[in-house]
Amino acid sequence: MEKLKLAIQKSGRLSDASKSLLKECGISFQNGKNKLLAPAVNFPMEILYLRDDDIPEYVENGTADIGILGNNVVLETQRKVDIPQKLGFSKCKLSLAIPKTGNYTDISWFQSKKIATSYPEILSSYLKKHNVESEIHKISGSVEIAPSIGLADGVCDIVSSGSTLFSNGLKEVEIVMRSEAVLIANKNINASKKALLQKFIFRIEAVNRSKNSKYIILNSPNEKIAEISALLPGMRSPTVVPLAQTGWSAIHSVVNEQKFWEVIDQLKEKGAEGILVVPIEKMIL
Ligand code: ATP
Ligand code: ZN
């Protein structure tokens, strides 16, 4: 039987989250400690452990069928691959930063300045779009120290909380792009692999949907069931079960976590009691 070859990062910021996603999708496999390739045991898939920068090339040329990596790297490598699914983890920004003491006005600050980055392609197209000409220095690691050692006037680097920038005496001044982990796919995979990919995406969607949703159980006086149910629409409609105590029922529903916090006061006002909020593992519509 044909197997879908998935490339994930061998070690780094994406590898744990990529492996967790597979496990949550019910796919078991061996760890890539001393191996490049590991077969999944209960899904027709093989896992290739690679450096993230190499994944787009391998997926483009078909060595791997699909891959998981940051959208920033997909864009930077300019390989021709499809992006069938965003994954929602490893969210970060690619930003321009300058020394804290710098007097920043707007993007024209970078005119004729030196910028250190690991993302020369993304940066140069961003600068071109804003009609700014800078000197781009490509360095592959520790970009943030470049200004303090006199190698550059500013940097274009990955930012999440900003604490790395801050501790290197820098401040963020422009967001060049927002990134998150994505699933990429070879443009020419055959029909049977495409069917496997659809199956995999179906599972990813079920897992990701469940992360934003909660199962909610509460007790309601019978005369308030209609009003309380209206606040908790659920997947189709809430389940209502009578309690042993007459005049009371339990209402079960599924709600978006954000929505739950918005309606909690109204639920209590209408007499809801004993409210339980429980995580959901998978959610199929
Ligand atoms: P490799 O050795 O595989 O080349 P790397 O050093 O290039 O790894 P990592 O630092 O592991 O890459 O980062 C991988 C990806 O994780 C980045 O391309 C980016 O999409 C995302 N990422 C990087 N830093 C952060 C962060 N601070 N917060 C969230 N996501 C991040
Ligand atoms: Zn890398």
Side-chain angles (χ1 to χ4, degrees):
M1 191 185 183
E2 199 143 35
K3 288 183 176 178
L4 198 60
K5 273 195 198 142
L6 165 69
I8 65 173
Q9 189 187 29
K10 185 170 173 62
S11 66
R13 288 176 181 274
L14 294 164
S15 40
D16 283 346
S18 305
K19 288 179 208 165
S20 306
L21 177 67
L22 289 175
K23 285 181 192 140
E24 286 166 330
C25 288
I27 301 174
S28 313
F29 54 94
Q30 288 167 357
N31 234 310
K33 279 224 162 54
N34 308 304
K35 280 194 182 163
L36 178 67
L37 190 75
V41 291
N42 52 359
F43 193 83
M45 180 180 269
E46 280 181 307
I47 293 120
L48 270 165
Y49 296 94
L50 299 171
R51 279 201 61 198
D52 67 344
D53 314 62
D54 298 332
I55 294 176
E57 182 183 351
Y58 280 108
V59 170
E60 184 188 49
N61 71 25
T63 306
D65 302 307
I66 58 174
I68 294 175
L69 77 162
N71 198 17
N72 51 317
V73 175
V74 182
L75 252 153
E76 180 62 26
T77 56
Q78 299 185 303
R79 297 285 173 173
K80 293 187 179 53
V81 293
D82 287 335
I83 303 182
Q85 181 72 30
K86 290 183 180 176
L87 300 173
F89 60 82
S90 295
K91 287 194 173 164
C92 58
K93 297 174 280 184
L94 184 64
S95 297
L96 281 161
I98 67 164
K100 263 181 240 171
T101 50
N103 225 333
Y104 191 75
T105 43
D106 57 50
I107 185 77
S108 67
W109 187 93
F110 288 98
Q111 180 62 40
S112 305
K113 295 261 187 6
K114 277 190 205 170
I115 310 173
T117 188
S118 306
Y119 297 90
E121 292 295 337
I122 297 173
L123 177 59
S124 69
S125 67
Y126 180 83
L127 293 172
K128 196 177 274 172
K129 201 175 80 192
H130 290 88
N131 297 314
V132 174
E133 278 185 50
S134 314
E135 196 183 313
I136 299 177
H137 270 252
K138 185 182 178 181
I139 41 181
S140 52
S142 306
V143 169
E144 64 286 351
I145 65 164
S148 62
I149 59 173
L151 197 66
D153 301 299
V155 301
C156 175
D157 202 5
I158 298 288
V159 178
S160 56
S161 68
S163 60
T164 308
L165 285 183
F166 190 81
S167 60
N168 283 283
L170 300 172
K171 62 179 176 188
E172 181 183 30
V173 292
E174 302 285 347
I175 297 171
V176 173
M177 74 171 286
R178 290 180 191 277
S179 182
E180 68 183 89
V182 293
L183 185 69
I184 61 168
N186 178 277
K187 284 189 168 293
N188 305 305
I189 54 173
N190 64 33
S192 61
K193 284 186 175 180
K194 199 165 254 173
L196 289 175
L197 174 58
Q198 285 315 316
K199 223 171 168 174
F200 183 41
I201 290 175
F202 178 85
R203 293 191 188 188
I204 293 173
E205 284 175 337
V207 167
N208 283 349
R209 210 180 279 125
S210 73
K211 284 187 180 151
N212 301 320
S213 301
K214 297 281 181 243
Y215 193 76
I216 173 166
I217 305 160
L218 56 81
N219 295 331
S220 160
N222 282 347
E223 65 276 13
K224 296 286 184 187
I225 291 174
E227 285 171 61
I228 289 180
S229 296
L231 293 170
L232 305 169
M235 296 226 276
R236 188 176 290 274
S237 73
T239 307
V240 180
V241 227
L243 293 189
Q245 184 184 342
T246 46
W248 283 81
S249 295
I251 299 179
H252 295 215
S253 192
V254 171
V255 287
N256 175 281
E257 180 152 36
Q258 187 62 37
K259 172 90 181 155
F260 169 75
W261 290 115
E262 283 166 20
V263 300
I264 178 76
D265 290 332
Q266 294 178 62
L267 291 175
K268 290 202 293 197
E269 224 169 77
K270 298 202 183 300
E273 286 180 6
I275 303 172
L276 300 181
V277 179
V278 186
I280 296 170
E281 196 173 311
K282 309 278 185 317
M283 200 167 147
I284 320 288
L285 294 183

